[in-house]
Amino acid sequence: MEQKFVDLHIHSYYSDGTMSPKEILIEASNKDIGILAITDHDMIDGSIELMKFQHKYNIKCIPGVEIDAIDDGVNYHILGYGVDIEDKKFNDLINKNRIMLEEVNTKLIEKMQNDYDYISLSDYSKFNYDKRKGGWKLLHYFIEKGLTKSLFEGFDLYKEYNHSYNCVQFPSIELVCKCIHNAGGKAILAHPGKVIKETNLDIFKKELVRIINLGIDGIECYSPSHTNEITSLCIEICKDRDLMITCGSDCHGGFEDTEIGEMKILIEKLNLEGIL
């Protein structure tokens, strides 16, 4: 594993990425990745498939998932690593979350069908799309209906209708962490610099510590969405509190512009005790 890079936050086409788990492994091997995790949104199918193929490559693969949670109206993403993927309560949680992820979209359709006579829930339910193109069903439906020309333009419609993840009852951070722990895993806060909208570092730190105290085992300190200041602050907090330090590209293949292993983080910079 010497001089190999680490990437513990990658999405496959099982959620909103564009690559299969096998394609991710091939790409990771070409990028000198030594430790890898697929963390699809509220879904472990990609991670299960990854574990089946890992023996063909010189890469250590860790079971992973990215779970939606709500705290004070804010949608946080909690990365679960090293979980028992057969744990029933854990599977119940992410399966319920997956249903709610789609419910967010159908609730937006319910709003929009009042303004567009060619949009309806029944029409949307019949729509299918090529998952290899990334994103999710509703973004492709918008393109199909001529409302947008690209997947990212679809985000603007969520904003236009003031539509957010608050419209469904995602679990609390405490509950998500407890479920991960009960399944034998570790709960890592994904890209906090992307979620906590605070430019004052002192206030940012105070809010970050509050979230950590809800049951978080570590922070995804190294993320393409982080400034150098946020990265340094996250590392400082982890070292002071003996928390795990992880990294992830949050690569979605062609759906977004980050690449597998693009930060070139070596294991020496991390604290992965408990999941290796």
Side-chain angles (χ1 to χ4, degrees):
M1 214 68 74
E2 186 178 354
Q3 295 304 308
K4 291 281 188 175
F5 302 119
V6 181
D7 195 337
L8 300 178
H9 191 162
I10 301 170
H11 296 273
S12 76
Y13 61 20
Y14 280 102
S15 61
D16 55 347
T18 61
M19 294 185 289
S20 70
K22 187 174 182 180
E23 288 168 340
I24 289 171
L25 270 168
I26 293 171
E27 181 71 10
S29 180
N30 291 336
K31 295 289 184 65
D32 292 323
I33 302 294
I35 306 176
L36 175 71
I38 286 179
T39 52
D40 285 323
H41 295 284
D42 302 303
M43 180 176 285
I44 57 173
D45 300 58
S47 190
I48 292 173
E49 189 172 317
L50 177 76
M51 305 306 287
K52 291 179 180 179
F53 287 119
Q54 67 169 329
H55 68 280
K56 297 182 179 180
Y57 301 86
N58 186 29
I59 298 176
K60 168 67 177 177
C61 295
I62 298 170
V65 63
E66 187 170 23
I67 305 175
D68 284 280
I70 293 287
D71 180 85
D72 195 24
V74 178
N75 177 226
Y76 287 88
H77 290 175
I78 311 301
L79 296 161
Y81 293 120
V83 297
D84 176 2
I85 56 180
E86 296 183 359
D87 184 271
K88 184 181 184 304
K89 288 185 177 180
F90 176 77
N91 276 278
D92 287 346
L93 175 78
I94 61 173
N95 289 337
K96 184 178 179 181
N97 259 25
R98 192 70 194 176
I99 292 171
M100 285 191 288
L101 268 181
E102 180 56 16
E103 188 179 350
V104 171
N105 300 324
T106 57
K107 284 182 177 293
L108 178 54
I109 288 290
E110 288 176 346
K111 292 179 180 179
M112 294 181 66
Q113 66 185 3
N114 296 322
D115 298 330
Y116 300 92
D117 57 10
Y118 52 89
I119 285 177
S120 68
L121 276 177
S122 60
D123 184 54
Y124 176 70
S125 66
K126 301 171 186 174
F127 176 72
N128 291 307
Y129 72 102
D130 182 0
K131 290 189 175 182
R132 281 190 169 274
K133 293 182 178 180
W136 53 90
K137 182 178 177 179
L138 187 53
L139 297 179
H140 290 273
Y141 183 71
F142 288 153
I143 295 176
E144 175 72 14
K145 291 300 177 180
L147 290 169
T148 58
K149 294 181 179 180
S150 71
L151 295 178
F152 285 96
E153 280 184 28
F155 296 161
D156 294 333
L157 288 171
Y158 285 81
K159 295 176 183 177
E160 181 181 332
Y161 282 83
N162 194 28
H163 195 69
S164 72
Y165 283 29
N166 284 331
C167 69
V168 296
Q169 298 296 315
F170 282 115
S172 66
I173 293 175
E174 298 101 317
L175 180 58
V176 170
C177 291
K178 182 179 180 181
C179 191
I180 292 172
H181 294 154
N182 288 343
K186 297 293 184 180
I188 307 299
L189 180 62
H191 44 57
K194 186 178 180 180
V195 182
I196 302 174
K197 306 298 185 181
E198 179 55 61
T199 56
N200 183 299
L201 287 182
D202 290 332
I203 299 176
F204 180 95
K205 180 177 181 179
K206 183 177 180 180
E207 178 64 8
L208 181 53
V209 169
R210 183 186 72 80
I211 296 299
I212 289 170
N213 289 336
L214 298 177
I216 297 294
D217 300 304
I219 303 173
E220 186 179 60
C221 299
Y222 296 97
S223 168
S225 63
H226 285 179
T227 63
N228 291 334
E229 291 78 12
I230 292 296
T231 298
S232 297
L233 176 60
C234 290
I235 293 171
E236 174 189 319
I237 292 173
C238 286
K239 288 183 175 179
D240 287 345
R241 299 170 67 95
D242 194 26
L243 299 173
M244 293 177 62
I245 298 172
T246 74
C247 68
S249 63
D250 202 2
C251 174
H252 288 72
F255 179 47
E256 292 188 353
D257 58 3
T258 55
E259 298 181 2
I260 293 175
E262 70 171 52
M263 292 177 295
K264 299 187 182 301
I265 302 298
L266 295 170
I267 191 172
E268 288 78 11
K269 290 188 174 183
L270 307 174
N271 176 8
L272 303 181
E273 186 175 352
I275 63 171
L276 286 182

